[in-house]
Amino acid sequence: MNTADARRIGDELEAVGGMAVPHLEDADIVILYSCVVRHAAQETVHNELIRVGQAKRQRPSMRVALAGCMVEDDTVELARRYPFIDRFLSPKTDLPVRDQVVDLLDLDERYRVDPSDAERVGLVSQPVTISQGCNRRCTYCVIPFRRGDERSRHPREILREVRSLGQRGAKEVVLLGQIVDRYGKDIGTTLGQLLAEASEVDEIARIRFLTSYPVDFDGPLMEAVATLPKVCEDVNLPVQAGDDAVLRRMARGYKTMFYERLVDEMRSVIPRLSLSTDIIVGFCGELEAQFENTLALLERVRFDVVHVAMYSPRPGTASARLWPDDVPQEEKKRRLHEVERVQSGIAGEINGRVVGTTQDVLVEGQRKGKWFGRTRNNKLLFFSSDRDLAGLVVPVEATGASSWSLQGQLVDPVPTRIIPHAPRIAS
Ligand code: SF4
């Protein structure tokens, strides 16, 4: 979401004559997007702020803004610690981006360049924020305190951004919200409707969305994923724990049985669905037996991908206030590695079943002399070709698999263009 928001603000700055520079030291305006979802992320932001402060000492005309979730309601402490920050851009405020940066735009005319509104975007796949904030209060989560209550962007504004990205070279958009399935509930529309409208943008071949919430993923959304050809059969559905007592303490609002039934229904409505999830290990009071319930759930559900993190208490959250962080760090690490070990076996087996099939791959670029891209199921696939295939959907036969990626071989005939309404191949 920070990447999407930062790109939007970059677009606004370009529209008023700004230009991206590769080195921090050369910038007139620096806007740092911050994340505090875990302690390690927060430390990274502090280190970056020190670097920005050093750059500003060398270039006093530099204007600095801090954006993202580190910006609290009360910025006194941040302003005291980092007096060089000129402006705080709160993620709770939904001013048009241009209004948010207006104070930073008081630049000397000689620094300005001609607006380049048709600047191409660097990556084939681009994130687009469609809603902000969250009305839930999972006990470990700091996001609602920083990003505020849930609110949706107007579809007209989102579609304008999607169209602009398509015209500038993007082939895939990833629609983002804290609970993306709830998109539109506050403005009388739905995510399914938005997916249908975004599908009409000719230049865009694929659409994904993140992050889903189990109790909000309803039947109409399943139908939309199953029937809209550009929408990929790929869902991130965080379960967080496989034990009902831990889920209750996290205030997730569902039990494992509900979650598993939902997955069964999704898999029956959406053929070839790939499913990823998020897991927190070492949550307050998590017993060994409760952790083992999580491993057992992984074995039963068999996700394509599991993102696992160690619990890290966030100041101001209910879990940090109510319960001790009582699982030792070493034990958290062990549980994390155990999840990775179990998941590695499951992912290896799932990916192995792809070997021998032909996949439509949206080519993103080259790495170590090989082309790479993603299948509709979001699997990374590497293959060789001496043609420039970036941005095309090409058929690739999977010939090898590991837990993390696939190897393949381009299938003839070599494609030359994308058919807009169905991401298939024309020869
Ligand atoms: S639903 Fe997600 S963003 Fe909202 S409180 Fe829970 S973990 Fe945080």
Side-chain angles (χ1 to χ4, degrees):
M1 187 166 277
N2 276 342
T3 306
D5 293 349
R7 199 233 325 110
R8 267 179 76 208
I9 223 163
D11 288 352
E12 290 286 345
L13 287 170
E14 281 196 357
V16 295
M19 180 179 71
V21 289
H23 302 294
L24 169 65
E25 295 72 19
D26 298 330
D28 295 309
I29 296 177
V30 175
I31 303 174
L32 182 65
Y33 272 82
S34 59
C35 175
V36 295
V37 73
R38 282 190 284 279
H39 181 71
Q42 191 167 330
E43 284 309 295
T44 305
V45 181
H46 283 300
N47 291 337
E48 283 299 299
L49 279 170
I50 291 167
R51 213 162 70 82
V52 173
Q54 285 163 350
K56 183 156 175 168
R57 266 198 291 285
Q58 302 302 316
R59 190 183 176 87
S61 63
M62 180 187 279
R63 285 168 179 77
V64 176
L66 181 66
C69 289
M70 192 181 270
V71 182
E72 299 174 68
D73 293 338
D74 181 359
T75 53
V76 173
E77 175 52 26
L78 278 172
R80 190 196 60 74
R81 188 164 172 188
Y82 302 110
F84 57 85
I85 297 178
D86 299 297
R87 192 164 167 86
F88 294 96
L89 304 178
S90 166
K92 278 188 187 165
T93 316
D94 290 330
L95 281 177
V97 180
R98 200 172 293 193
D99 290 351
Q100 289 196 39
V101 295
V102 78
D103 285 0
L104 300 167
L105 294 174
D106 179 26
L107 292 174
D108 191 310
E109 281 299 320
R110 72 204 146 109
Y111 289 132
R112 295 196 175 195
V113 296
D114 288 336
S116 50
D117 35 84
E119 198 72 18
R120 285 184 74 73
V121 285
L123 297 173
V124 166
S125 177
Q126 288 285 335
V128 175
T129 301
I130 65 168
S131 62
Q132 284 279 13
C134 180
N135 292 350
R136 289 201 166 269
R137 295 292 180 268
C138 301
T139 51
Y140 54 83
C141 182
V142 74
I143 286 174
F145 300 101
R146 301 301 168 90
R147 290 197 176 250
D149 286 339
E150 150 189 304
R151 64 260 182 222
S152 304
R153 285 176 73 199
H154 197 282
R156 197 174 45 238
E157 196 188 320
I158 296 167
L159 293 170
R160 196 184 311 127
E161 186 173 341
V162 171
R163 247 178 254 115
S164 156
L165 289 169
Q167 285 157 5
R168 293 156 61 206
K171 294 287 182 276
E172 174 180 279
V173 286
V174 186
L175 307 181
L176 302 175
Q178 256 78 46
I179 300 184
V180 72
D181 325 320
R182 293 185 54 79
Y183 170 77
K185 292 208 185 296
D186 50 340
I187 56 171
T189 184
T190 64
L191 178 61
Q193 179 64 27
L194 182 68
L195 291 170
E197 287 168 356
S199 294
E200 297 296 315
V201 178
D202 284 349
E203 293 84 355
I204 297 299
R206 285 184 177 176
I207 305 169
R208 302 181 193 275
F209 57 91
L210 286 174
T211 297
S212 292
Y213 197 86
V215 298
D216 292 303
F217 206 108
D218 58 16
L221 182 55
M222 288 181 212
E223 284 299 326
V225 178
T227 55
L228 291 167
K230 289 188 182 179
V231 178
C232 295
E233 305 82 1
D234 168 37
V235 171
N236 178 235
L237 193 71
V239 64
Q240 303 299 10
D243 181 87
D244 287 341
V246 176
L247 286 175
R248 195 167 50 247
R249 232 171 316 127
M250 289 177 166
R252 292 288 291 176
Y254 53 82
K255 293 185 175 181
T256 51
M257 187 185 282
F258 172 89
Y259 185 94
E260 292 185 59
R261 282 190 181 153
L262 176 69
V263 169
D264 287 346
E265 189 186 349
M266 289 167 74
R267 283 177 167 158
S268 74
V269 176
I270 309 168
R272 295 183 295 279
L273 175 71
S274 70
L275 204 57
S276 60
T277 200
D278 300 352
I279 297 281
I280 297 172
V281 293
F283 187 63
C284 317
E286 185 187 64
L287 304 170
E288 176 62 21
Q290 293 171 329
F291 168 66
E292 279 169 18
N293 285 341
T294 295
L295 293 181
L297 180 125
L298 297 185
E299 293 281 11
R300 291 196 301 276
V301 177
R302 308 192 78 71
F303 296 98
D304 291 74
V305 175
V306 172
H307 309 284
V308 55
M310 294 183 287
Y311 171 66
S312 142
R314 304 283 63 216
T317 57
S319 65
R321 240 185 13 255
L322 297 173
W323 306 302
D325 177 21
D326 55 0
V327 179
Q329 193 67 6
E330 279 311 304
E331 178 58 18
K332 284 182 188 169
K333 275 191 197 151
R334 187 194 67 80
R335 291 181 189 181
L336 180 132
H337 291 144
E338 193 55 13
V339 168
E340 287 176 341
R341 186 189 65 75
V342 168
Q343 179 56 27
S344 167
I346 294 170
E349 188 199 306
I350 292 174
N351 290 350
R353 288 204 297 266
V354 182
V355 174
T357 66
T358 297
Q359 300 286 319
D360 286 351
V361 174
L362 173 55
V363 184
E364 295 182 14
Q366 272 184 310
R367 205 182 286 164
K368 294 186 182 163
K370 288 208 163 186
W371 288 102
F372 71 92
R374 290 187 182 269
T375 67
R376 289 179 65 88
N377 284 154
N378 212 12
K379 296 193 184 302
L380 193 58
L381 203 157
F382 292 87
F383 64 98
S384 299
S385 171
D386 49 15
R387 296 193 47 182
D388 181 0
L389 300 172
L392 290 173
V393 178
V394 300
V396 181
E397 184 187 340
T399 53
S402 72
S403 301
W404 319 114
S405 64
L406 301 165
Q407 302 289 329
Q409 209 171 358
L410 191 62
V411 173
D412 282 334
V414 176
T416 54
R417 68 185 176 91
I418 295 171
I419 299 174
H421 285 284
R424 299 282 166 211
I425 309 309
S427 58

